[in-house]
Amino acid sequence: MTPKLRKLVTSQSSASSALEPLTDYDLVLRVLREGDAAAFELIMRRHNQRLYRLARSILKNPTDAEDVVQETYVTAFQKLESFRGPSGFSAWLAKIALNFAYRRVRRRGRVVFFEDFVSPPNGEGDPLISRIENIESSEPNPELNVQIAELRQLLESAIDALPIEFRTVFILAKVEGQSIKEIAETLSLNEQTVKTRLFRAKKKLQETLGDAFDELVPSLHSFDGERCDRIVFRVLAKLTQ
């Protein structure tokens, strides 16, 4: 039976701080037993950024990624009783998101490969690549900030151009900071395969962008509060209709 939410939470502050120490499994039980909307809101806020970046790594489109995250939560809510726990909730959510993301990829019928980026039609590389090594100063500098923004966009484009299997592993490892073991569990792969894909992804990116690309990686696919709130509100509104 699908649980019923007890009330609609309308703001981030309304999710009780008393729930913060609870594990994901404890929150799941509160939703199942009490229809606690604050508990489900906290679940979403905990996992929003990771699911968004995972979906974004596959779809390369922020709007599509948001849609996938919302679909993931609605489906997870409907199937919450099937989660056995107590561990593995993050991987369980991620697999639902992966299914929705790959379904969209199949509907599109095409994937952009890394070679499309490193070998542009005109045969010329992007001049911004040669400027990556110049970003060293942390002092306020409008011109430098523009340059960093341009380079971040270039890095995002380079990562978007990786084959999906490399791109997803790279985002989970270098942006989200997941361990090899966690990634293997999330993607249903063995650990050696994860290591191999991560190595190849990094090698391709370093060949294109230079060693300094590591400094920009943590800021990729930023997930601001507005996007987080938007996803939470839309899902809660749908589930309480």
Side-chain angles (χ1 to χ4, degrees):
M1 174 183 290
T2 300
K4 301 293 184 182
L5 288 185
R6 186 179 61 215
K7 60 181 180 178
L8 176 62
V9 177
T10 57
S11 69
Q12 182 173 358
S13 61
S14 62
S16 172
S17 58
L19 299 179
E20 290 287 349
L22 297 182
T23 66
D24 286 339
Y25 188 57
D26 291 332
L27 294 173
V28 167
L29 293 179
R30 288 183 69 97
V31 175
L32 288 172
R33 294 170 180 173
E34 305 172 26
D36 192 335
F40 197 71
E41 178 180 359
L42 183 54
I43 286 174
M44 288 190 285
R45 293 191 183 280
R46 281 184 181 177
H47 296 278
N48 266 346
Q49 178 168 278
R50 179 166 294 179
L51 292 180
Y52 171 78
R53 283 175 166 169
L54 177 62
R56 173 67 176 74
S57 74
I58 295 169
L59 297 166
K60 303 185 293 185
N61 180 285
T63 301
D64 286 348
E66 280 192 40
D67 290 344
V68 162
V69 175
Q70 292 173 46
E71 291 171 334
T72 296
Y73 287 131
V74 171
T75 299
F77 181 80
Q78 294 169 343
K79 298 182 177 180
L80 210 51
E81 287 186 333
S82 69
F83 174 68
R84 299 306 174 194
S87 61
F89 186 70
S90 178
W92 185 74
L93 280 178
K95 288 174 183 178
I96 296 174
L98 285 170
N99 285 335
F100 279 117
Y102 283 125
R103 186 180 302 172
R104 288 186 177 232
V105 170
R106 287 193 295 270
R107 286 205 299 262
R108 291 176 182 174
R110 67 182 294 271
V111 178
V112 178
F113 289 94
F114 184 76
E115 288 72 16
D116 296 330
F117 178 81
V118 298
S119 302
N122 59 10
E124 298 179 1
D126 194 310
L128 287 174
I129 293 176
S130 63
R131 288 154 49 195
I132 288 182
E133 283 83 9
N134 295 327
I135 297 183
E136 298 177 353
S137 173
S138 60
E139 295 297 320
N141 185 322
E143 182 178 350
L144 183 60
N145 289 338
V146 171
Q147 185 183 51
I148 291 174
E150 291 174 342
L151 292 173
R152 185 179 293 115
Q153 184 175 8
L154 176 67
L155 178 58
E156 289 184 358
S157 297
I159 292 173
D160 282 349
L162 287 169
I164 286 180
E165 61 271 21
F166 293 173
R167 186 168 67 240
T168 303
V169 167
F170 181 85
I171 291 295
L172 291 177
K174 303 300 290 184
V175 180
E176 280 300 305
Q178 286 193 357
S179 67
I180 297 297
K181 182 178 180 180
E182 289 173 325
I183 297 171
E185 181 182 4
T186 297
L187 301 180
S188 299
L189 299 171
N190 63 59
E191 293 185 19
Q192 185 55 50
T193 299
V194 173
K195 291 178 182 178
T196 299
R197 291 183 180 182
L198 179 58
F199 173 79
R200 291 179 178 175
K202 290 176 65 177
K203 187 172 185 294
K204 286 180 178 292
L205 290 171
Q206 287 173 336
E207 287 173 352
T208 304
L209 301 174
D211 293 336
F213 86 92
D214 280 328
E215 298 178 11
L216 293 175
V217 168
S219 64
L220 282 173
H221 309 328
S222 60
F223 193 84
D224 55 28
E226 181 180 354
R227 176 175 280 128
C228 183
D229 287 342
R230 183 164 59 242
I231 290 175
V232 167
F233 297 160
R234 287 177 179 174
V235 172
L236 288 174
K238 184 176 183 65
L239 293 180
T240 53
Q241 284 178 348

